[in-house]
Amino acid sequence: MPIYNAPVKDMQFILHDVLNVSTSDIPGYDELDADFTNAVLEEAGKLTSEVLAPLNVVGDHEGCRLENGVVYTPTGFKDAFEQVKEGGWTGLDMPEQYGGQNMPYVIGTAVGEMFSSANQAFTMYQGLTHGAAAAILAHGSDEQKDTYLPKMVSCEWTGTMNLTEPHCGTDLGLMRTKAEPAGDGTFKISGQKIFISSGDHDMADNIVHLVLAKIPGGPDGIKGVSLFIVPKFLVKEDGSLGERNGVSVGNIEHKMGIHGNSTCVMNYDEATGYLLGEENKGMRAMFTMMNEARLGVGMQGLAQAEAAYQNAVEYAKDRLQGRDVTGAKNPDGPADPLIVHPDIRRSLMDQKSFVEGARAFILWGATLIDEAHRKGDKDADGLVGLLTPVIKGFLTDEGYDMTVQAQQVYGGHGYIEEHGMSQFTRDARIAMIYEGANGVQALDLVGRKLAQDGGKHVMAFFEMVKTFCKENGDDAAMKDFVDPLKKASKDLQAAGMFFMQNGMKNPNAALAGSTDFMHLFGHVCLGLMWARIAKAATSQLAAGTSDVAFYETKLATARYYMARRLPATGMHLARIESGAEPVMALAAEAF
């Protein structure tokens, strides 16, 4: 069975050596001293490695089942969910007013990575509930908050988001689900939604669905979409559960991965719904949930890569195969371990440099969210908005690739289910698709986010990189990191300039390069993270740390990323500058 050990030490390094959270002026961060964060992360690590990780294979093999209209989760899930609820993990960063612990989002993010690495399908039940609760918190009335949030924060009730319909995915303006006013302030919701993660299950007393629907007579397209709270069981005035609402499970989807999560077809037959936010402003309310979910999905890419990498390292150290070309490293055995071979090292270094750089990127993004929410910093909000499609798209594309590389280390055994490596690959694959497929993320980045607020936020990012390079450019110890970062940033700026010069007269010139731009941007972000990591490691070594090996390993890994991964920005720039012609050359009928 695959192993998982929570990377507490690395998280502590990122939080305290790189991000310096305890000295930040963000409200609540003064409580994040190293002892406190270590205690939280150690407890989360124990739960994830001892309880959730062993159920990962169980969930994959058993899946969920629908019997007589009831969805049953895999063996052990219900008991594990009770342990998660009892530990207060579901409301870690939610307001105390509704039963949460009000910790900063950055701590919830670190813990969330552990949960997703240990068991992604299981963690989605609470993850989607968190997102639905966040939408109600941001847009609900006081009565709605008081009715739903205490039970959702504790996960006594769970939540979902219902967007997709059989005939429309990304183009939600085509949706057919209707919301007919009932005359008493409620609405009758009718229609069908598909691909609804955690749509129904046996682990909560109630499920609170957030459903996008159109009120008759409203504007056409996406402007006529509203958001509704549609509980599985209606809630009485005293907070107790009443009669079953007109919502049912039509089917459980049979999927490539995340088998332990109940992905459902949901049927709404004049179900009672309550407007969340304003009429015809449903997408604004839903995006509160979707943006959080996109960051969470980016984290899933990292999380699956981390779990797969841990197992690949163990296998590479144990599996004897061939001899080291420079001389036997295991002379008393029949062969040397896989890890002696340069191509295996390359693969493991690809994985290691990705997961550790991505972890820093995700946690930095979480601090920006805290800065935006806890300080009301609009610049931080704009920057994290710019980075959201990069976090979601780049980290899930790369994360999936890293699970494939980890599987490859196993050779033929990676293709055999008993070793468990294929599950990481299969579970990671969905992250590239849901919460907005990665091609859509790239279009959002190039088509909307770059020009937002007059390009203010992308210029702020460039200035951030420029300032770091300038401040550290004269430090000989930082040359290996500053010079490659500077070059990569210039590639990113050149790509942005190409879009500016060509995008207006030929929009396809920009859109044809959108995925390359997203990856180029992602590499620059990880380059910046590795440069910051290198600076922190260098400082610790200069201060005479007792853990020399840890920090020297960080520097070696940073050099690897700069030398072997970051030069990909040049390739992506060349593709972007080739314009739309190679992409659009064929007529549709020629395919």
Side-chain angles (χ1 to χ4, degrees):
M1 181 180 290
I3 59 153
Y4 174 67
N5 295 302
V8 174
K9 185 174 183 178
D10 197 54
M11 289 180 174
Q12 284 284 89
F13 166 71
I14 297 298
L15 290 173
H16 298 287
D17 290 4
V18 179
L19 298 176
N20 300 307
V21 293
S22 60
T23 61
S24 169
D25 64 352
I26 298 173
Y29 273 42
D30 57 333
E31 299 178 7
L32 301 183
D33 61 71
D35 288 341
F36 175 77
T37 58
N38 190 69
V40 173
L41 297 179
E42 287 283 359
E43 280 301 308
K46 187 184 301 182
L47 176 65
T48 53
S49 62
E50 295 178 4
V51 178
L52 302 188
L55 292 175
N56 200 35
V57 172
V58 176
D60 188 52
H61 288 175
E62 289 188 14
C64 298
R65 68 186 194 279
L66 175 63
E67 295 180 0
N68 300 318
V70 179
V71 175
Y72 295 94
T73 50
T75 303
F77 270 43
K78 195 169 185 178
D79 288 342
F81 204 58
E82 288 302 314
Q83 291 187 55
V84 170
K85 290 191 290 185
E86 288 169 8
W89 297 106
T90 59
L92 206 62
D93 55 3
M94 296 300 283
E96 290 179 292
Q97 178 182 354
Y98 303 109
Q101 300 184 50
N102 202 36
M103 291 187 194
Y105 186 76
V106 70
I107 296 301
T109 301
V111 170
E113 183 202 321
M114 296 181 186
F115 274 73
S116 289
S117 284
N119 197 323
Q120 178 174 320
F122 175 93
T123 301
M124 289 171 63
Y125 292 100
Q126 68 203 58
L128 285 158
T129 305
H130 189 286
I136 294 173
L137 183 64
H139 302 283
S141 65
D142 288 341
E143 181 183 359
Q144 288 172 336
K145 293 175 188 178
D146 291 340
T147 299
Y148 296 103
L149 289 183
K151 300 283 184 148
M152 294 177 73
V153 167
S154 67
C155 270
E156 292 176 70
W157 299 350
T158 60
T160 71
M161 54 194 294
N162 287 233
L163 291 80
T164 307
E165 300 183 8
H167 61 283
C168 71
T170 300
D171 192 354
L172 292 171
L174 299 175
M175 72 173 56
R176 297 171 184 160
T177 300
K178 299 295 183 187
E180 295 277 358
D184 60 357
T186 68
F187 293 78
K188 294 299 180 183
I189 313 297
S190 297
Q192 185 179 79
K193 298 290 185 175
I194 63 171
F195 306 156
I196 308 307
S197 300
S198 311
D200 198 78
H201 55 85
D202 58 349
M203 300 192 298
D205 296 331
N206 201 7
I207 300 175
V208 181
H209 302 287
L210 298 192
V211 183
L212 286 177
K214 288 186 172 181
I215 300 172
D220 292 334
I222 200 68
K223 293 181 179 180
V225 172
S226 301
L227 184 61
F228 299 88
I229 298 173
V230 188
K232 177 179 177 179
F233 291 97
L234 297 175
V235 183
K236 298 179 181 178
E237 287 189 13
D238 64 1
S240 63
L241 296 181
E243 63 184 25
R244 176 73 183 256
N245 206 352
V247 53
S248 61
V249 179
N251 192 21
I252 295 180
E253 305 285 8
H254 298 283
K255 312 182 295 293
M256 176 180 176
I258 54 170
H259 296 154
N261 193 267
S262 53
T263 306
C264 301
V265 173
M266 303 300 300
N267 295 321
Y268 294 88
D269 184 13
E270 294 193 346
T272 299
Y274 307 89
L275 183 68
L276 179 59
E278 301 176 46
E279 286 191 18
N280 306 320
K281 302 290 185 182
M283 288 309 299
R284 183 171 67 181
M286 183 60 87
F287 265 110
T288 299
M289 186 175 182
M290 288 178 68
N291 284 334
E292 177 182 311
R294 285 172 176 173
L295 292 167
V297 170
M299 182 178 65
Q300 288 178 348
L302 155 64
Q304 293 307 298
E306 168 67 33
Y309 165 70
Q310 289 188 18
N311 286 275
V313 168
E314 291 299 310
Y315 189 81
K317 289 179 178 178
D318 291 341
R319 174 72 168 176
L320 301 181
Q321 198 80 65
R323 287 294 187 190
D324 188 334
V325 294
T326 65
K329 296 297 187 291
N330 180 33
D332 296 331
D336 289 331
L338 278 172
I339 202 164
V340 306
H341 303 301
D343 196 59
I344 295 294
R345 292 289 187 94
R346 173 204 57 78
S347 174
L348 294 176
M349 287 298 287
D350 277 358
Q351 296 168 58
K352 181 178 177 63
S353 64
F354 168 73
V355 297
E356 294 178 11
R359 178 171 298 121
F361 187 22
I362 284 278
L363 292 176
W364 174 51
T367 65
L368 292 174
I369 290 175
D370 278 331
E371 197 166 1
H373 291 174
R374 289 173 173 251
K375 289 179 64 178
D377 191 319
K378 292 184 178 180
D379 289 339
D381 190 51
L383 181 56
V384 80
L386 170 71
L387 296 176
T388 293
V390 183
I391 290 172
K392 195 282 183 184
F394 178 70
L395 295 191
T396 58
D397 278 351
E398 290 286 301
Y400 174 76
D401 285 349
M402 295 308 153
T403 65
V404 172
Q405 289 211 46
Q407 185 184 27
Q408 188 76 8
V409 170
Y410 277 67
H413 292 294
Y415 199 65
I416 303 301
E417 289 295 339
E418 71 177 89
H419 286 273
M421 294 304 288
S422 80
Q423 185 186 352
F424 298 127
T425 303
R426 289 184 284 104
D427 285 357
R429 185 63 183 88
I430 185 58
M432 301 161 70
I433 299 173
Y434 60 13
E435 303 305 339
N438 286 356
V440 175
Q441 301 299 321
L443 294 178
D444 177 48
L445 175 64
V446 171
R448 265 190 351 115
K449 296 297 177 62
L450 282 184
Q452 203 161 41
D453 296 327
K456 173 183 178 180
H457 306 299
V458 73
M459 295 306 296
F461 178 82
F462 288 142
E463 188 61 33
M464 185 184 303
V465 175
K466 181 180 177 182
T467 298
F468 181 91
C469 292
K470 185 176 181 180
E471 289 176 349
N472 297 279
D474 295 331
D475 186 346
M478 290 295 293
K479 182 176 176 58
D480 289 348
F481 315 106
V482 170
D483 289 353
L485 176 60
K486 192 182 299 183
K487 183 180 184 307
S489 180
K490 287 180 179 178
D491 288 342
L492 184 61
Q493 293 177 62
M497 186 62 68
F498 177 85
F499 291 156
M500 287 179 60
Q501 294 172 343
N502 296 276
M504 291 298 291
K505 58 185 178 183
N506 181 12
N508 281 344
L511 300 184
S514 58
T515 290
D516 279 292
F517 186 81
M518 181 177 71
H519 278 254
L520 200 170
F521 206 151
H523 277 297
V524 174
C525 288
L526 260 64
L528 176 60
M529 293 302 102
W530 274 114
R532 289 179 173 177
I533 290 169
K535 182 176 176 62
T538 300
S539 297
Q540 288 292 335
L541 288 168
T545 177
S546 59
D547 198 354
V548 173
F550 177 83
Y551 293 106
E552 287 186 341
T553 298
K554 284 293 179 189
L555 290 176
T557 310
R559 288 191 179 93
Y560 180 88
Y561 197 89
M562 296 299 185
R564 300 280 303 215
R565 302 289 294 163
L566 195 55
T569 60
M571 174 192 70
H572 290 301
L573 176 60
R575 289 175 175 175
I576 289 166
E577 290 180 338
S578 73
E581 289 72 18
V583 176
M584 306 300 292
L586 292 181
E589 56 271 19
F591 284 90

